[in-house]
Amino acid sequence: MDAAIDIGDVDVVIVGTGISESILAAAIARTGRQVLHLEKGSTYGDSWTTIDLEELIRTSEIPNGLATENDTWESINSERIKLANRSLQSRIEVVANFGSVDDAIKASVDITPRPLFCNGTMVNLLVKSGGGDYVDFKALNASFLDFGDTPGGIQRVPQSRSEVFQSRLISAPEKRLLMRFVKICTDEDTTTDEQREKQMSSSNFDEYMEAMLLNEKLRTLISNALIFVEDPKSISVQHGRDLLQLYFSSLARYGTGNALLLTNYGGSELSQAFCRISAVNGSIYVLRRAVEEILLEDGAVSGILTTAGDRLNTRHVFASSMFDPGRLGEEDVVWRFVGVLQRAILDGHSRTLVIVPKGVGSRTSTVRVWQVDSSLGVCGDGYFVLYAECVDGSGTEEDIRSALARVLGESYSEKISRGIIFKQRMWTRKEHGSRPSNLEWIHDVPVEIDFTGAIEQAEALFRSNFPDEGWFPEPVNVVPEVSESSEPGDANASYDQRHDASPTEEEPVDDKEVLARSGSPQTT
Amino acid sequence: MHGIMYGTETSSEELSRLSSLSELGRRALECKVEADLSDEAEALVRKVVESNPDDYTLWNYRREWLLSLKGEAHDRLVKVWNDELRLTEKALLRHPKAYATWQHRVWLLAEAKDMEIDLATRTGLFEKELALCSKMLKMDARNFHAWAHWERVSKIAGKHEPARVVEYTEQQINADFSNYSAWHYRSVNLAEGIPIQDKTALDQLLDEEVDRLRQAFYTDPDSQSAWFYYRWLLNGAPYYSEGKTSALFNIKDEFLKNELKACQELIDLEPFSKWALLTKVYLLRRLGREAEAEDTIVKLTEIDPMRLGYYRNLASTSTRAV
Amino acid sequence: MPERTKLLKVIILGESGVGKTSILERYVRHSFSQQYKATIGADFLSMDVIIDDKPVPLQIWDTAGQERYQSLGAAFYRGADGVLLVYDVTDARSFEGLDAWRQEFIVSANPRDPDTFPFVVLGNKIDLISRPRAVSQKKAQQWCLQKGGLTHFETSAADNINIDLAFETVARSAVKRGEEEEEFILPETVEINRKPAEEQCNC
């Protein structure tokens, strides 16, 4: 299995296949640089991976070794940086277990599950980069919001024009106020001077909503379930309007009746999509291979040494900051639940999101709970995977438990066929120490809907390290590197993927042809 | 066709497909002119209508061919008829609004009945046609052909099920309350579709209809379909049955006053809503409050000067003409 | 109601250097190169194959070199309707590797009824005379029989032997299997590459 990596020097080594790392790998490979992309685990995705639930539970039972971590001073000297020996299990600490092992329950679950917007940063990057050919999505079917005691518990949130029309949650006059507010926020042309005045004089988005006559119920609904902001006082009017625009442009984009998407087969597919773009552009992929040391020369990175003994020269290393020996133990944590149910939550929709805001009960963080069904290819028919996450870093185990109680009832533990509450450790961006200029750490990004933070990080690293190169430039067609020794008809000649060649017609072959990949595979 | 972008350049493949199609089309027409009902000719015509379902003449050819089979074994006719129905389905998927195809399908069903061809289907023929309508409406909720097809098939099948239509229109309205066809077919079928005997139930029905409309007005006051349906309700929901026009509801002044109040509430929120103001004019006139109606018309001319002529005409006509 | 013909996804699996890309090149471009280069720039290609006078849209996926260190992700296998398993008749190791590739595919793609899944096994490079044959036809056929009667061809991308036949065979079995299934893609999938809804006409 541990075949030596016999590829000579490379331009760039990337360590870890998280979302940011994979996007970066694709972007760099597109510039024609030789990339070696290594992953310690046996699947793609690192903390974004999709894993069998039982395996996740088993893995997290192994002591994670955080207590006996290397000391910074021993790990770094002028010749090398010895990377921290961490892995997926270093990220997870299980604090509660539900149900028992049941062979009938087969579920693939995400460590870091995440819905995304139809018109958000991830979908747009996938379309721009061509990665959209490799990954599919499902729309969420229904969203709910816990209003606490008034107007009475968990209520379906009207999300589109037709749902507003049918909604029993909001009265006819409230509908008018809501729809008018949405129109003003999403259509600049119809804004009157008076409305513009209110926009200018409000110091935050909550004040603005109030000035637009929205009552508390509508403000709660908009901030929690449409723009996904815990406290609308904390954001500017413009930011709130932008988020609402994102929501409604997402709603309109594919006509699914919902603004959010979920990834078929789990989030690891997204990493894999970008890794495939990278591979198609010549990057070398090696799973189950960890980096032991980053080698230095004259204060700069000169190469890497893997745990299998491979030694390669390189000009750049981008590595997940989980491996940074200077970053000890846990930094930030996110509280999560993942489990399998045999009955759909609430009114039985298959793919459901429930927001349990922090104001309700004594929660210190808003908890987002969502359920996916077998249509995503992650569990068997009749089963459902349920996720819960604390939106805020200040969340607690209690927050998760009380949200589960709201959604599943007080006897929630009996309704979970198999599941865990766990603490996910995050190595987020923090200033510390110095590093060689050609070594970059890639950090974990905070909880959000969509992947904006992860994409922005990848783009920022790309632009600062390769200032002359374009970020997934159009057109999407790729010029493969053709070595000097190529003969006409070289096997390396890339091929047109459109249906232009039929087996019965002879076509001239050009080995320098520039048609590696293009948009959607079918003309439907 | 929906969601299909044609490239700016026509590919050579497409070109050869088109040219061979026009060549085929020419030959197919010859078959029609020469009344050539041979197997080869029939296969050729079938191929052409599949790609070009708008062609009336060729569907006519197919009808002649089908009629020529009269007297053949029942089994053979069943097979031919089912194949022909499938052909129209294929054609409709390609072109959901081809009159000629819809008409051909109705003809097939009617003829099958006349010729006593038993097109045994699992769910029954009527249900199958409804499923087709549903599917076509799912692709495009405003495809009026599908609505009309439902009616025609009901007639052929001798099944008059207004209750189902009413229920179906409700689903369609929930999906999109600007769907004019859905409101229209609701109005056509409401009286018979809802088995109402007593006055309380009628009152309740009227309340429900008005409430549904109110949700639509407040969600989007500019959506005209709902306002048209509302006007029809305020007229007592007239319907035509057994040679005369009757009204489903007995609309009283008390009711109109309430509606005027509700209308004013919406105008308070949306002072420039044309449809709300127009409805207010109508309600005021029904209540004999002509002076207030005049004032409202003046307001309308101010906010919507484009239709000045219409409003002037409105001002000069009597109550009933609004 | 008749559905539009579904796009068939066919993937080519096998050890590095057995000639996967050459087989594809031969089929699609009718070309062949003597030189070996690890696959770069190869993604997937779409073309129509004619099965019983009907064009069937075929999408053929290459490994993009990710097989070299056993690092193909599960995503690559997903939704495949047929698999070409390729070995090199002059390289016994590449033949022994087939079992692992087949297993990995079944585990990762999790196809319904894996025993009848359309695998077509290709022993490539039968034109090579400079190296001795390491895998006899009999041995390969035996293995195919053991695995439930997989179709087996010996091929040459260089001399264009059995290449078209291999693709037609895998496509034909995939079509046949597809006909037996009700729905073989996950329902309600959102295709993000399609035109946004608002740009669609209302004709």
Short mmCIF file of all heavy atoms in Angstrom, two decimals, chain A residues 418-466:
data_model
loop_
_atom_site.label_atom_id
_atom_site.label_comp_id
_atom_site.label_asym_id
_atom_site.label_seq_id
_atom_site.Cartn_x
_atom_site.Cartn_y
_atom_site.Cartn_z
N ARG A 418 -29.69 5.73 17.22
CA ARG A 418 -28.25 5.66 17.45
C ARG A 418 -27.74 7.07 17.26
O ARG A 418 -28.11 7.74 16.28
CB ARG A 418 -27.62 4.72 16.40
CG ARG A 418 -26.14 4.47 16.59
CD ARG A 418 -25.89 3.55 17.76
NE ARG A 418 -24.51 3.13 17.84
CZ ARG A 418 -23.83 3.09 19.00
NH1 ARG A 418 -24.42 3.45 20.13
NH2 ARG A 418 -22.58 2.67 19.01
N GLY A 419 -26.88 7.54 18.16
CA GLY A 419 -26.37 8.89 17.97
C GLY A 419 -25.42 9.32 19.07
O GLY A 419 -25.25 8.62 20.07
N ILE A 420 -24.77 10.45 18.84
CA ILE A 420 -23.84 10.98 19.83
C ILE A 420 -23.95 12.49 19.91
O ILE A 420 -24.29 13.17 18.93
CB ILE A 420 -22.36 10.64 19.48
CG1 ILE A 420 -22.04 10.94 18.01
CG2 ILE A 420 -22.02 9.21 19.83
CD1 ILE A 420 -20.57 10.81 17.65
N ILE A 421 -23.66 13.01 21.10
CA ILE A 421 -23.38 14.44 21.23
C ILE A 421 -21.87 14.54 21.35
O ILE A 421 -21.24 13.79 22.10
CB ILE A 421 -24.05 15.03 22.49
CG1 ILE A 421 -25.57 14.97 22.35
CG2 ILE A 421 -23.60 16.49 22.70
CD1 ILE A 421 -26.32 15.48 23.57
N PHE A 422 -21.28 15.41 20.57
CA PHE A 422 -19.82 15.54 20.66
C PHE A 422 -19.37 16.98 20.53
O PHE A 422 -20.09 17.85 20.07
CB PHE A 422 -19.11 14.65 19.62
CG PHE A 422 -19.35 15.03 18.17
CD1 PHE A 422 -18.41 15.79 17.48
CD2 PHE A 422 -20.49 14.62 17.49
CE1 PHE A 422 -18.60 16.13 16.15
CE2 PHE A 422 -20.69 14.95 16.16
CZ PHE A 422 -19.74 15.71 15.49
N LYS A 423 -18.14 17.15 21.00
CA LYS A 423 -17.47 18.43 20.97
C LYS A 423 -16.52 18.38 19.79
O LYS A 423 -15.69 17.47 19.71
CB LYS A 423 -16.65 18.58 22.25
CG LYS A 423 -16.75 19.90 22.90
CD LYS A 423 -16.30 19.92 24.35
CE LYS A 423 -15.07 19.20 24.80
NZ LYS A 423 -14.57 19.68 26.09
N GLN A 424 -16.64 19.29 18.86
CA GLN A 424 -15.69 19.32 17.73
C GLN A 424 -14.65 20.40 18.01
O GLN A 424 -15.00 21.56 18.19
CB GLN A 424 -16.44 19.62 16.43
CG GLN A 424 -15.52 19.65 15.22
CD GLN A 424 -16.23 20.12 13.97
OE1 GLN A 424 -17.26 20.80 14.05
NE2 GLN A 424 -15.69 19.80 12.81
N ARG A 425 -13.38 19.99 18.04
CA ARG A 425 -12.32 20.98 18.27
C ARG A 425 -12.00 21.69 16.97
O ARG A 425 -11.95 21.08 15.91
CB ARG A 425 -11.06 20.29 18.75
CG ARG A 425 -11.21 19.72 20.11
CD ARG A 425 -9.86 19.38 20.69
NE ARG A 425 -10.12 18.82 22.00
CZ ARG A 425 -10.51 17.55 22.18
NH1 ARG A 425 -10.63 16.75 21.15
NH2 ARG A 425 -10.77 17.11 23.39
N MET A 426 -11.72 22.96 17.08
CA MET A 426 -11.45 23.76 15.90
C MET A 426 -10.12 24.47 16.07
O MET A 426 -9.85 25.04 17.11
CB MET A 426 -12.54 24.84 15.74
CG MET A 426 -13.96 24.31 15.77
SD MET A 426 -14.48 23.71 14.20
CE MET A 426 -14.88 25.26 13.41
N TRP A 427 -9.30 24.41 15.03
CA TRP A 427 -8.07 25.19 15.03
C TRP A 427 -8.33 26.40 14.12
O TRP A 427 -8.01 26.39 12.93
CB TRP A 427 -6.91 24.33 14.55
CG TRP A 427 -6.39 23.44 15.63
CD1 TRP A 427 -5.39 23.76 16.52
CD2 TRP A 427 -6.82 22.12 15.98
NE1 TRP A 427 -5.19 22.70 17.39
CE2 TRP A 427 -6.04 21.69 17.08
CE3 TRP A 427 -7.78 21.25 15.47
CZ2 TRP A 427 -6.20 20.44 17.67
CZ3 TRP A 427 -7.94 20.02 16.06
CH2 TRP A 427 -7.17 19.61 17.16
N THR A 428 -8.95 27.40 14.69
CA THR A 428 -9.33 28.57 13.89
C THR A 428 -8.17 29.56 13.85
O THR A 428 -7.17 29.41 14.54
CB THR A 428 -10.57 29.27 14.48
OG1 THR A 428 -10.37 29.43 15.87
CG2 THR A 428 -11.81 28.43 14.25
N ARG A 429 -8.34 30.59 13.02
CA ARG A 429 -7.26 31.55 12.82
C ARG A 429 -6.91 32.28 14.11
O ARG A 429 -7.77 32.87 14.74
CB ARG A 429 -7.67 32.57 11.75
CG ARG A 429 -6.63 33.67 11.52
CD ARG A 429 -7.10 34.59 10.40
NE ARG A 429 -7.09 33.90 9.11
CZ ARG A 429 -5.99 33.69 8.39
NH1 ARG A 429 -4.81 34.10 8.82
NH2 ARG A 429 -6.06 33.08 7.24
N LYS A 430 -5.66 32.19 14.50
CA LYS A 430 -5.18 32.97 15.64
C LYS A 430 -3.75 33.36 15.37
O LYS A 430 -2.98 32.55 14.85
CB LYS A 430 -5.25 32.13 16.93
CG LYS A 430 -6.60 32.30 17.61
CD LYS A 430 -6.75 31.55 18.89
CE LYS A 430 -8.22 31.54 19.26
NZ LYS A 430 -8.69 30.29 19.77
N GLU A 431 -3.40 34.55 15.73
CA GLU A 431 -2.02 34.99 15.50
C GLU A 431 -1.10 34.30 16.49
O GLU A 431 -1.39 34.23 17.67
CB GLU A 431 -1.92 36.51 15.68
CG GLU A 431 -2.44 37.29 14.48
CD GLU A 431 -1.93 36.76 13.15
OE1 GLU A 431 -0.72 36.50 13.02
OE2 GLU A 431 -2.76 36.58 12.22
N HIS A 432 -0.04 33.75 16.01
CA HIS A 432 0.94 33.21 16.94
C HIS A 432 2.24 32.96 16.20
O HIS A 432 2.23 32.56 15.04
CB HIS A 432 0.43 31.90 17.56
CG HIS A 432 0.64 30.72 16.67
ND1 HIS A 432 1.67 29.83 16.86
CD2 HIS A 432 0.00 30.33 15.56
CE1 HIS A 432 1.61 28.93 15.91
NE2 HIS A 432 0.62 29.20 15.10
N GLY A 433 3.34 33.22 16.87
CA GLY A 433 4.68 32.92 16.37
C GLY A 433 4.95 33.34 14.95
O GLY A 433 4.12 33.96 14.28
N SER A 434 6.12 33.00 14.47
CA SER A 434 6.44 33.33 13.08
C SER A 434 6.49 32.02 12.30
O SER A 434 6.55 30.94 12.87
CB SER A 434 7.79 34.03 13.02
OG SER A 434 8.78 33.17 13.56
N ARG A 435 6.45 32.12 11.00
CA ARG A 435 6.55 30.93 10.16
C ARG A 435 7.29 31.33 8.88
O ARG A 435 7.31 32.50 8.51
CB ARG A 435 5.16 30.39 9.83
CG ARG A 435 4.25 31.46 9.26
CD ARG A 435 2.96 30.93 8.71
NE ARG A 435 2.11 32.05 8.37
CZ ARG A 435 2.21 32.79 7.27
NH1 ARG A 435 3.15 32.51 6.38
NH2 ARG A 435 1.41 33.80 7.05
N PRO A 436 7.89 30.36 8.21
CA PRO A 436 8.54 30.69 6.95
C PRO A 436 7.51 31.25 5.97
O PRO A 436 6.34 30.85 6.00
CB PRO A 436 9.05 29.33 6.45
CG PRO A 436 9.06 28.44 7.64
CD PRO A 436 8.00 28.94 8.55
N SER A 437 7.96 32.17 5.11
CA SER A 437 6.98 32.85 4.26
C SER A 437 6.34 31.89 3.26
O SER A 437 5.24 32.14 2.77
CB SER A 437 7.66 33.99 3.51
OG SER A 437 8.66 33.44 2.68
N ASN A 438 6.99 30.79 2.91
CA ASN A 438 6.37 29.87 1.95
C ASN A 438 5.68 28.68 2.62
O ASN A 438 5.46 27.65 2.02
CB ASN A 438 7.39 29.41 0.90
CG ASN A 438 8.64 28.81 1.53
OD1 ASN A 438 8.83 28.90 2.74
ND2 ASN A 438 9.47 28.21 0.72
N LEU A 439 5.38 28.86 3.90
CA LEU A 439 4.52 27.89 4.60
C LEU A 439 3.25 28.62 5.04
O LEU A 439 3.32 29.68 5.65
CB LEU A 439 5.23 27.33 5.84
CG LEU A 439 4.36 26.58 6.83
CD1 LEU A 439 3.76 25.32 6.20
CD2 LEU A 439 5.14 26.21 8.09
N GLU A 440 2.10 28.06 4.67
CA GLU A 440 0.84 28.69 5.08
C GLU A 440 0.01 27.66 5.85
O GLU A 440 -0.09 26.51 5.43
CB GLU A 440 0.03 29.13 3.85
CG GLU A 440 0.71 30.14 2.96
CD GLU A 440 0.51 31.58 3.43
OE1 GLU A 440 0.01 31.78 4.55
OE2 GLU A 440 0.86 32.49 2.65
N TRP A 441 -0.56 28.10 6.94
CA TRP A 441 -1.50 27.24 7.68
C TRP A 441 -2.91 27.53 7.20
O TRP A 441 -3.28 28.68 7.00
CB TRP A 441 -1.40 27.49 9.18
CG TRP A 441 -0.06 27.16 9.77
CD1 TRP A 441 0.84 28.04 10.30
CD2 TRP A 441 0.54 25.86 9.89
NE1 TRP A 441 1.97 27.39 10.74
CE2 TRP A 441 1.81 26.04 10.50
CE3 TRP A 441 0.15 24.57 9.54
CZ2 TRP A 441 2.67 24.99 10.77
CZ3 TRP A 441 1.01 23.52 9.81
CH2 TRP A 441 2.25 23.72 10.42
N ILE A 442 -3.67 26.47 7.03
CA ILE A 442 -5.07 26.63 6.61
C ILE A 442 -5.95 26.33 7.82
O ILE A 442 -5.85 25.25 8.41
CB ILE A 442 -5.38 25.68 5.44
CG1 ILE A 442 -4.47 26.03 4.26
CG2 ILE A 442 -6.85 25.79 5.05
CD1 ILE A 442 -4.63 25.13 3.06
N HIS A 443 -6.75 27.30 8.18
CA HIS A 443 -7.46 27.21 9.46
C HIS A 443 -8.87 26.68 9.31
O HIS A 443 -9.47 26.75 8.24
CB HIS A 443 -7.52 28.60 10.10
CG HIS A 443 -6.18 29.25 10.20
ND1 HIS A 443 -5.25 28.89 11.13
CD2 HIS A 443 -5.59 30.21 9.44
CE1 HIS A 443 -4.15 29.60 10.96
NE2 HIS A 443 -4.34 30.41 9.94
N ASP A 444 -9.39 26.18 10.43
CA ASP A 444 -10.81 25.81 10.47
C ASP A 444 -11.63 27.09 10.46
O ASP A 444 -11.18 28.12 10.95
CB ASP A 444 -11.11 25.02 11.75
CG ASP A 444 -10.47 23.63 11.72
OD1 ASP A 444 -10.08 23.19 10.62
OD2 ASP A 444 -10.37 23.00 12.77
N VAL A 445 -12.81 27.00 9.86
CA VAL A 445 -13.63 28.21 9.78
C VAL A 445 -14.85 28.06 10.69
O VAL A 445 -15.32 26.95 10.93
CB VAL A 445 -14.09 28.47 8.32
CG1 VAL A 445 -12.91 28.93 7.49
CG2 VAL A 445 -14.73 27.25 7.72
N PRO A 446 -15.35 29.18 11.19
CA PRO A 446 -16.48 29.12 12.13
C PRO A 446 -17.75 28.58 11.46
O PRO A 446 -17.86 28.53 10.24
CB PRO A 446 -16.68 30.57 12.55
CG PRO A 446 -15.47 31.31 12.10
CD PRO A 446 -14.89 30.55 10.97
N VAL A 447 -18.69 28.20 12.32
CA VAL A 447 -19.98 27.68 11.86
C VAL A 447 -20.73 28.76 11.09
O VAL A 447 -20.79 29.92 11.52
CB VAL A 447 -20.82 27.23 13.08
CG1 VAL A 447 -22.24 26.91 12.66
CG2 VAL A 447 -20.17 26.03 13.74
N GLU A 448 -21.28 28.41 9.95
CA GLU A 448 -22.13 29.33 9.20
C GLU A 448 -22.97 28.47 8.26
O GLU A 448 -22.79 27.26 8.17
CB GLU A 448 -21.30 30.33 8.39
CG GLU A 448 -20.38 29.66 7.37
CD GLU A 448 -19.62 30.66 6.49
OE1 GLU A 448 -20.03 31.81 6.39
OE2 GLU A 448 -18.62 30.24 5.88
N ILE A 449 -23.93 29.10 7.56
CA ILE A 449 -24.60 28.40 6.48
C ILE A 449 -23.75 28.67 5.26
O ILE A 449 -23.29 29.78 5.07
CB ILE A 449 -26.03 28.96 6.27
CG1 ILE A 449 -26.86 28.80 7.53
CG2 ILE A 449 -26.69 28.34 5.04
CD1 ILE A 449 -27.83 27.67 7.58
N ASP A 450 -23.54 27.66 4.41
CA ASP A 450 -22.70 27.79 3.23
C ASP A 450 -21.21 27.83 3.62
O ASP A 450 -20.87 27.69 4.79
CB ASP A 450 -23.07 29.03 2.40
CG ASP A 450 -22.94 28.75 0.89
OD1 ASP A 450 -22.00 28.04 0.51
OD2 ASP A 450 -23.78 29.24 0.14
N PHE A 451 -20.36 28.01 2.60
CA PHE A 451 -18.93 27.79 2.78
C PHE A 451 -18.12 29.06 2.55
O PHE A 451 -16.97 28.99 2.14
CB PHE A 451 -18.47 26.70 1.81
CG PHE A 451 -19.09 25.36 2.10
CD1 PHE A 451 -20.39 25.07 1.67
CD2 PHE A 451 -18.41 24.40 2.83
CE1 PHE A 451 -20.97 23.84 1.94
CE2 PHE A 451 -18.99 23.17 3.11
CZ PHE A 451 -20.27 22.90 2.67
N THR A 452 -18.75 30.21 2.76
CA THR A 452 -18.10 31.47 2.42
C THR A 452 -16.74 31.62 3.09
O THR A 452 -15.75 31.99 2.44
CB THR A 452 -19.04 32.63 2.79
OG1 THR A 452 -20.30 32.36 2.20
CG2 THR A 452 -18.51 33.94 2.28
N GLY A 453 -16.66 31.32 4.38
CA GLY A 453 -15.39 31.48 5.10
C GLY A 453 -14.30 30.60 4.52
O GLY A 453 -13.16 31.04 4.32
N ALA A 454 -14.65 29.35 4.23
CA ALA A 454 -13.67 28.40 3.72
C ALA A 454 -13.19 28.83 2.32
O ALA A 454 -12.01 28.71 1.99
CB ALA A 454 -14.27 27.00 3.66
N ILE A 455 -14.12 29.32 1.50
CA ILE A 455 -13.76 29.72 0.14
C ILE A 455 -12.92 31.00 0.17
O ILE A 455 -11.91 31.11 -0.52
CB ILE A 455 -15.03 29.90 -0.72
CG1 ILE A 455 -15.71 28.54 -0.92
CG2 ILE A 455 -14.70 30.54 -2.06
CD1 ILE A 455 -17.09 28.61 -1.53
N GLU A 456 -13.33 31.93 1.03
CA GLU A 456 -12.57 33.19 1.12
C GLU A 456 -11.15 32.93 1.58
O GLU A 456 -10.20 33.55 1.10
CB GLU A 456 -13.28 34.17 2.06
CG GLU A 456 -14.45 34.86 1.39
CD GLU A 456 -15.25 35.74 2.34
OE1 GLU A 456 -14.95 35.73 3.56
OE2 GLU A 456 -16.16 36.44 1.86
N GLN A 457 -10.99 32.00 2.53
CA GLN A 457 -9.65 31.68 3.01
C GLN A 457 -8.79 31.13 1.87
O GLN A 457 -7.65 31.55 1.68
CB GLN A 457 -9.73 30.65 4.15
CG GLN A 457 -8.35 30.15 4.54
CD GLN A 457 -8.33 29.27 5.76
OE1 GLN A 457 -7.53 29.45 6.64
NE2 GLN A 457 -9.24 28.33 5.83
N ALA A 458 -9.37 30.21 1.10
CA ALA A 458 -8.61 29.62 0.00
C ALA A 458 -8.23 30.69 -1.03
O ALA A 458 -7.09 30.76 -1.49
CB ALA A 458 -9.43 28.51 -0.68
N GLU A 459 -9.18 31.56 -1.33
CA GLU A 459 -8.91 32.59 -2.34
C GLU A 459 -7.84 33.57 -1.84
O GLU A 459 -6.94 33.95 -2.60
CB GLU A 459 -10.20 33.33 -2.71
CG GLU A 459 -9.97 34.34 -3.83
CD GLU A 459 -11.24 34.97 -4.37
OE1 GLU A 459 -12.34 34.56 -3.96
OE2 GLU A 459 -11.12 35.89 -5.22
N ALA A 460 -7.92 33.95 -0.57
CA ALA A 460 -6.94 34.90 -0.02
C ALA A 460 -5.54 34.29 -0.06
O ALA A 460 -4.57 34.96 -0.45
CB ALA A 460 -7.32 35.27 1.41
N LEU A 461 -5.42 33.02 0.32
CA LEU A 461 -4.11 32.36 0.29
C LEU A 461 -3.58 32.25 -1.13
O LEU A 461 -2.40 32.45 -1.41
CB LEU A 461 -4.20 30.96 0.91
CG LEU A 461 -4.32 30.91 2.44
CD1 LEU A 461 -4.61 29.49 2.90
CD2 LEU A 461 -3.06 31.45 3.10
N PHE A 462 -4.49 31.95 -2.05
CA PHE A 462 -4.09 31.82 -3.46
C PHE A 462 -3.57 33.16 -3.98
O PHE A 462 -2.51 33.24 -4.58
CB PHE A 462 -5.29 31.35 -4.28
CG PHE A 462 -5.01 31.24 -5.75
CD1 PHE A 462 -4.42 30.10 -6.26
CD2 PHE A 462 -5.36 32.26 -6.63
CE1 PHE A 462 -4.15 29.99 -7.62
CE2 PHE A 462 -5.10 32.17 -7.98
CZ PHE A 462 -4.50 31.02 -8.48
N ARG A 463 -4.33 34.22 -3.72
CA ARG A 463 -3.96 35.52 -4.27
C ARG A 463 -2.66 36.05 -3.65
O ARG A 463 -1.85 36.66 -4.35
CB ARG A 463 -5.09 36.52 -4.08
CG ARG A 463 -6.30 36.20 -4.96
CD ARG A 463 -7.23 37.39 -5.07
NE ARG A 463 -8.49 37.02 -5.72
CZ ARG A 463 -8.63 36.90 -7.05
NH1 ARG A 463 -7.62 37.12 -7.85
NH2 ARG A 463 -9.81 36.56 -7.55
N SER A 464 -2.46 35.80 -2.34
CA SER A 464 -1.24 36.35 -1.74
C SER A 464 -0.01 35.55 -2.17
O SER A 464 1.08 36.09 -2.24
CB SER A 464 -1.37 36.42 -0.22
OG SER A 464 -1.44 35.12 0.30
N ASN A 465 -0.18 34.27 -2.48
CA ASN A 465 0.98 33.46 -2.87
C ASN A 465 1.23 33.45 -4.37
O ASN A 465 2.35 33.23 -4.81
CB ASN A 465 0.82 32.02 -2.37
CG ASN A 465 1.11 31.91 -0.88
OD1 ASN A 465 2.26 31.80 -0.48
ND2 ASN A 465 0.07 31.99 -0.06
N PHE A 466 0.19 33.64 -5.13
CA PHE A 466 0.34 33.63 -6.60
C PHE A 466 -0.32 34.86 -7.19
O PHE A 466 -1.33 34.76 -7.90
CB PHE A 466 -0.28 32.34 -7.18
CG PHE A 466 0.21 31.09 -6.48
CD1 PHE A 466 -0.59 30.45 -5.55
CD2 PHE A 466 1.48 30.58 -6.74
CE1 PHE A 466 -0.14 29.31 -4.89
CE2 PHE A 466 1.93 29.45 -6.08
CZ PHE A 466 1.12 28.81 -5.16
#
